[in-house]
Amino acid sequence: MEAVTNTVRQLVTSNQPSEYAGMSSFFEGEAPLSQAVGYIVVLGFGAAFSIFTTLLVYLERKHSGGGGITSEQFNTAGRSVKTGLTASVIVSQWTWAATLLQSSNVAWQYGVSGPFWYAAGATIQVLLFGVLAISLKKVAPSAHTMCEIVNARWGRTAHKTFLMFAFLANIIVTSMLLLGGAATVEALTGMNRKLASFLIPWGVILYTAAGGLKATFIASYLHTTIIFAVLITMITMVYIKKYSSDEIYDFLDATVSHTEEECQMIFSTDGTVATTFYDDKTYSCGPVPNNNSGSYLTMLSADGLMFGIINIVGNFGTVFVDQSYWQSAIAAKPTSASRGYLLGGLCWFAIPFSLATSLGLASTALMLPITAGEAGSGLVPPAVATHLMGNAGAGLILTMLFMAIVSTGSAESIAVSSLVSYDIYREYINPEATGEQILKVSRIVIVVFGLLMGGLSIILDYLGLNLGWVYLFMGIVIGSAVIPLWNMMTWKKASGTGAVIAAWSGLILAVATWLITCSIQSGSITIDNLGKNEAMLAGNLAAILSSGLIHFIYSMIFPQDFDFETLDANIKLVEEDVSGLTAEDKDPEMLEEAYRWITRRGYVISIILIIVWPCLSIPAGKFTKDYFAFWVLLAIAWGFGAAIVITFLPLIESSAELSATIKGMLGIASYPKEAYVAKEPEEKFDDA
C-alpha cells in the first residue's frame, strides 16, 4: 500500500517551491531576521525620523519667519496646508498596518476580489469626507476638533456622546496598528511582540510632541514616499522580474485544480496522505468556496462581496468618527481641503489594490505554506517578500510596516491630544485656558497616549483577537456615529437629541444583532464564531443603518432648523492667530465652487468604484489570461502613477518654502514670510 501511495505522490505536481516541502507553516516560529534588526528598525528608525523631522520643522520655522509655535499652530498647522501635502497626509493616515497586511490576507482568501474590495471599500469614505471637509470650511472654519462643532451646534450632552465615540475610534485604530505591526515584527525578527508594542510608539512621541501637526504632516510625507518606494519594488518583483501575469494566472489555475487528496499530499511531512497536516480551512489549496468556478481569478465571490460590504460600513466609522481626518481638513487651505481628499483617496487606492494584487495573489499562486492563522495575523506580505528577496524582502516589508505604524500613530496621537486639550481641558476644566496652557496639555497627552498605545494592543492580543478580527469588528462599535455626524454638517433639521439617541441605540442594536446572528448561525458564541463574516456583516449594517434611520425619523418629527451662519460664532479661538481664516479664505463664492467641485466628483467616483466597476467585471466571470493581464496592468499603472504624484506634487507646491529654507541655511537671504497673520484689534469678531 505504501508503494502505491508513494507512486501517487510522485504524480502530484504543484507550484509550491521545493524548499517548503513538509513545512506546516511558513515561518514555523523561526524569524528570517535577527532580533538586532528588530531593535534597529523599531528604535533606530524611530529615533532617526524623530530627530530628522524635528530638525526640518525647526529649520522651516526659523527661516520662514515663523517665530515661536502657538497652540493654534500646534493643533491646526496654520490652516494653510496645500493640496499635495494634504493628499500625502491622507494617504499616510489611511495606510494602517491593516492596509499593508489585511489586504493581502483577503487576496489569499478570496483572490482578485479581495484587493479590489479592500481598496474600493475604503477609498470612497475619503472621497466623501472631502464633502464634509469643505462644509467645515464653509460653516466652522475656526474649529479645532469635530467635537467642538458638535458642542457648538447640539450642546454638551451630544458633545460628551460623540467625544466618547471619537476616543473609541482612536483607541481601535491605534490598537489595530500595533496589533498587526507587533505580530509582524515578531515573525520577522523574533522580537517579543509585547515589547515591540511598547517600543514602537516611542519613535512617534518626540517629533509629534515637539512640532505638533506640522511635524506630523512632514513625517507623513516622508513615510508615504518610503511606503510607495517599497510598493513599487514589490510590484516589480512579482510581475516584471520574477514572474509575468500569465505565469501567475497559470499558477492560480493550478492551485484550485488540486483535489483534496492531492492537497493532503502537498501539505504533508513526506508527501503522503498518511502524514498530511492539511486542513481546507488552514491552507490555500483546491477550489475556493463560494467563488465562480472555484477560482481566485473572478470578481464573482460571495465571501469577497460580503467582506466588501463589511469593509465599506466599518471604514465609514474610522474616517468620519476619527478626529485625525477632521484635523487634516481643518489644517488644509479651503481649495486644498476638497482636492486633497480626492487626490489622496485615489492615490491611497493603489496601496492595497496594487500591493495585494501582487503579494497576496502570489502567495496562493506559489502555494506557500502560509496558514490561516498567519494570514489572519497579517503575515502574507512578509512571507511572499521573504520568498522573493530573502532577508532583503523581509527587511523592506518591516520598514514599510514601521512607516505606516508611526505615521498613523502620530496622527492618532495629535488627534487625541486635540480632543483632550479643547474638548475636555478647555471645555470642562479650564474654560479660560491660555494658548500656553493648551500647548502644554497637548504635549503631555501626546507623551502619555504614546506610552499607553502598547498596552491597548497587548489587551487585544491577550483576548486572542488578531488583526483581521478587529478590522471587521470596528464598524460595530463606532458605525452608529457616522450618519449623525454627516447630518450635523449638511442638514439643518438634524436634531441633537436625535443624534444622541441614534448613536447609542445604533451601538446597542449592532452588538445585539452581532451576538444573535452568531448564536443562530454557529449555535454558540465564541471568539472565532463572532469573527465570521455573516455575524460581522449583520452587526456592521445594524450599526450604520439603524442609527441613520432613527436620526432621520426623530429629526423629521422634532427638527432643529439650525442656522449654519451662526455655527462658527460659537467656536472660540484661543489666540489671535487667524492663519487660514482671512477674508480670502472665507470667500463664499470660492467655498461654494469648491463644494460643488468635490460633491460632483466625490459621488461620481464613489459610484464608479463600488457599483460600476464591479458590475462591468461580472460578465467576465472567471478572468481570461488577457483580462487578468489588463487587471494587473491597471494595478501596476495605478501604483506607479500614485507614487509619482504623491512624491513630487508636495515638493513642487512647496518649492518656494523649500528654497527659502535652504537659502536661509546658507545665509543667502532673509525671509519676511509670515507663518500666521495677527488679527488687528478692530477686526475681532464680536461673537468670538
Side-chain angles (χ1 to χ4, degrees):
M1 181 65 185
E2 182 175 274
V4 174
T5 303
N6 287 334
T7 302
V8 173
R9 173 175 61 85
Q10 293 171 4
L11 296 176
V12 175
T13 58
S14 74
N15 308 317
Q16 188 182 81
S18 58
E19 64 261 35
Y20 302 114
M23 291 177 59
S24 60
S25 69
F26 187 88
F27 290 103
E28 291 196 320
E30 295 183 9
L33 303 174
S34 68
Q35 283 194 24
V37 174
Y39 284 104
I40 290 172
V41 171
V42 171
L43 294 179
F45 275 22
F49 269 95
S50 289
I51 295 170
F52 184 62
T53 303
T54 305
L55 180 62
L56 286 179
V57 173
Y58 168 77
L59 292 173
E60 189 271 337
R61 294 197 63 78
K62 178 180 179 181
H63 298 294
S64 64
I69 191 169
T70 67
S71 67
E72 292 285 339
Q73 287 278 319
F74 188 88
N75 288 293
T76 68
R79 296 185 176 90
S80 59
V81 179
K82 298 175 183 176
T83 301
L85 187 55
T86 299
S88 178
V89 167
I90 294 305
V91 171
S92 179
Q93 287 178 195
W94 205 210
T95 303
W96 304 346
T99 307
L100 307 176
L101 306 177
Q102 177 70 2
S103 58
S104 289
N105 175 26
V106 290
W108 179 86
Q109 290 179 284
Y110 314 127
V112 295
S113 67
F116 171 80
W117 281 119
Y118 191 105
T123 295
I124 63 169
Q125 295 84 352
V126 175
L127 302 180
L128 295 177
F129 193 86
V131 177
L132 286 191
I134 203 65
S135 296
L136 183 151
K137 291 296 183 182
K138 289 173 64 177
V139 301
S142 301
H144 307 89
T145 71
M146 69 171 184
C147 292
E148 247 187 352
I149 304 174
V150 172
N151 195 22
R153 176 168 180 179
W154 287 336
R156 282 193 166 187
T157 301
H159 179 250
K160 292 171 184 175
T161 291
F162 287 94
L163 186 59
M164 194 216 72
F165 278 97
F167 281 131
L168 278 175
N170 293 131
I171 289 170
I172 289 173
V173 171
T174 304
S175 303
M176 194 158 47
L177 274 176
L178 292 173
L179 187 65
T184 306
V185 169
E186 183 180 59
L188 292 177
T189 69
M191 185 178 181
N192 183 278
R193 71 172 68 192
K194 294 181 177 62
L195 181 60
S197 294
F198 276 109
L199 294 181
I200 289 172
W202 290 14
V204 174
I205 292 172
L206 178 60
Y207 70 79
T208 309
L213 195 60
K214 189 64 172 286
T216 295
F217 280 15
I218 292 174
S220 293
Y221 168 74
L222 297 173
H223 297 150
T224 303
T225 55
I226 293 172
I227 287 171
F228 269 106
V230 178
L231 169 69
I232 295 304
T233 302
M234 293 304 162
I235 296 173
T236 303
M237 289 299 296
V238 173
Y239 287 114
I240 298 175
K241 185 174 182 180
K242 293 284 188 180
Y243 309 103
S244 66
S245 64
D246 284 354
E247 285 180 294
I248 295 294
Y249 182 96
D250 290 335
F251 290 165
L252 288 170
D253 247 357
T255 297
V256 301
S257 69
H258 293 298
T259 64
E260 183 173 359
E261 185 179 14
E262 289 173 336
C263 291
Q264 290 172 343
M265 293 178 188
I266 294 167
F267 291 97
S268 65
T269 303
D270 61 5
T272 66
V273 174
T275 60
T276 187
F277 43 79
Y278 173 74
D279 177 352
D280 62 355
K281 292 182 174 59
T282 303
Y283 300 98
S284 57
C285 181
V288 186
N290 302 316
N291 273 26
N292 182 43
S293 303
S295 175
Y296 288 107
L297 297 158
T298 180
M299 280 290 287
L300 295 174
S301 168
D303 291 334
L305 176 61
M306 194 180 303
F307 166 77
I309 297 171
I310 298 171
N311 198 37
I312 291 169
V313 176
N315 281 309
F316 267 112
T318 47
V319 172
F320 284 57
V321 190
D322 190 339
Q323 162 62 16
S324 66
Y325 294 92
W326 294 78
Q327 202 142 359
S328 295
I330 290 166
K333 293 175 69 68
T335 52
S336 300
S338 54
R339 288 175 169 79
Y341 275 83
L342 186 77
L343 183 61
L346 292 175
C347 287
W348 178 87
F349 182 95
I351 296 178
F353 182 60
S354 302
L355 186 68
T357 298
S358 53
L359 296 184
L361 293 184
S363 68
T364 52
L366 299 173
M367 296 185 69
L368 299 180
I370 299 170
T371 66
E374 287 178 321
S377 296
L379 300 182
V380 173
V384 179
T386 300
H387 169 70
L388 294 174
M389 303 174 66
N391 288 349
L396 285 175
I397 292 295
L398 183 61
T399 302
M400 187 186 202
L401 179 69
F402 184 76
M403 296 299 104
I405 294 172
V406 296
S407 182
T408 308
S410 175
E412 295 301 313
S413 296
I414 197 75
V416 170
S417 79
S418 296
L419 289 171
V420 173
S421 300
Y422 288 97
D423 291 289
I424 295 179
Y425 179 70
R426 190 174 75 154
E427 181 62 27
Y428 297 105
I429 299 174
N430 185 7
E432 302 303 321
T434 64
E436 185 177 348
Q437 289 173 320
I438 287 178
L439 185 59
K440 181 179 179 181
V441 171
S442 297
R443 285 175 164 154
I444 291 172
V445 172
I446 287 170
V447 174
V448 172
F449 185 70
L451 296 176
L452 291 177
M453 280 183 189
L456 300 174
S457 68
I458 289 174
I459 291 172
L460 294 180
D461 187 52
Y462 178 78
L463 294 173
L465 308 180
N466 64 24
L467 180 66
W469 197 99
V470 179
Y471 185 83
L472 298 176
F473 172 69
M474 61 189 179
I476 295 173
V477 180
I478 57 180
S480 60
V482 172
I483 294 180
L485 286 172
W486 176 275
N487 290 340
M488 175 186 72
M489 298 299 297
T490 59
W491 190 28
K492 69 176 185 177
K493 291 185 178 182
S495 163
T497 303
V500 172
I501 294 172
W504 288 114
S505 299
L507 174 59
I508 294 169
L509 289 171
V511 173
T513 303
W514 177 49
L515 295 173
I516 292 169
T517 304
C518 174
S519 180
I520 293 173
Q521 181 196 20
S522 304
S524 62
I525 296 177
T526 65
I527 294 294
D528 289 340
N529 290 339
L530 287 171
K532 291 181 178 178
N533 278 351
E534 292 80 2
M536 289 292 191
L537 175 60
N540 274 270
L541 287 175
I544 198 166
L545 296 179
S546 65
S547 71
L549 182 62
I550 292 169
H551 195 213
F552 174 77
I553 293 173
Y554 192 98
S555 298
M556 291 303 292
I557 298 173
F558 305 104
Q560 184 181 23
D561 290 324
F562 184 73
D563 181 6
F564 281 107
E565 295 293 328
T566 66
L567 183 59
D568 199 51
N570 297 325
I571 300 172
K572 295 188 299 181
L573 292 175
V574 180
E575 294 144 329
E576 301 307 322
D577 178 350
V578 292
S579 302
L581 298 175
T582 62
E584 181 183 355
D585 294 313
K586 293 181 177 181
D587 178 37
E589 290 186 10
M590 179 270 292
L591 291 171
E592 187 59 34
E593 182 182 348
Y595 182 81
R596 288 195 300 269
W597 190 93
I598 185 61
T599 302
R600 292 169 183 168
R601 289 161 178 79
Y603 286 132
V604 169
I605 296 174
S606 295
I607 291 171
I608 290 173
L609 286 178
I610 64 171
I611 297 176
V612 177
W613 186 338
C615 288
L616 289 176
S617 68
I618 290 175
K622 178 191 170 186
F623 292 179
T624 62
K625 269 191 181 180
D626 289 341
Y627 197 103
F628 181 65
F630 172 74
W631 190 274
V632 169
L633 177 62
L634 186 62
I636 294 173
W638 207 313
F640 274 85
I644 292 170
V645 170
I646 220 69
T647 301
F648 294 106
L649 182 59
L651 296 179
I652 294 171
E653 287 184 332
S654 301
S655 57
E657 290 85 346
L658 290 171
S659 176
T661 300
I662 293 171
K663 288 180 179 178
M665 291 171 61
L666 298 175
I668 296 176
S670 60
Y671 309 95
K673 185 173 179 174
E674 296 179 350
Y676 68 89
V677 182
K679 193 194 301 181
E680 295 298 327
E682 63 270 23
E683 294 180 331
K684 288 183 180 179
F685 296 122
D686 294 336
D687 50 10

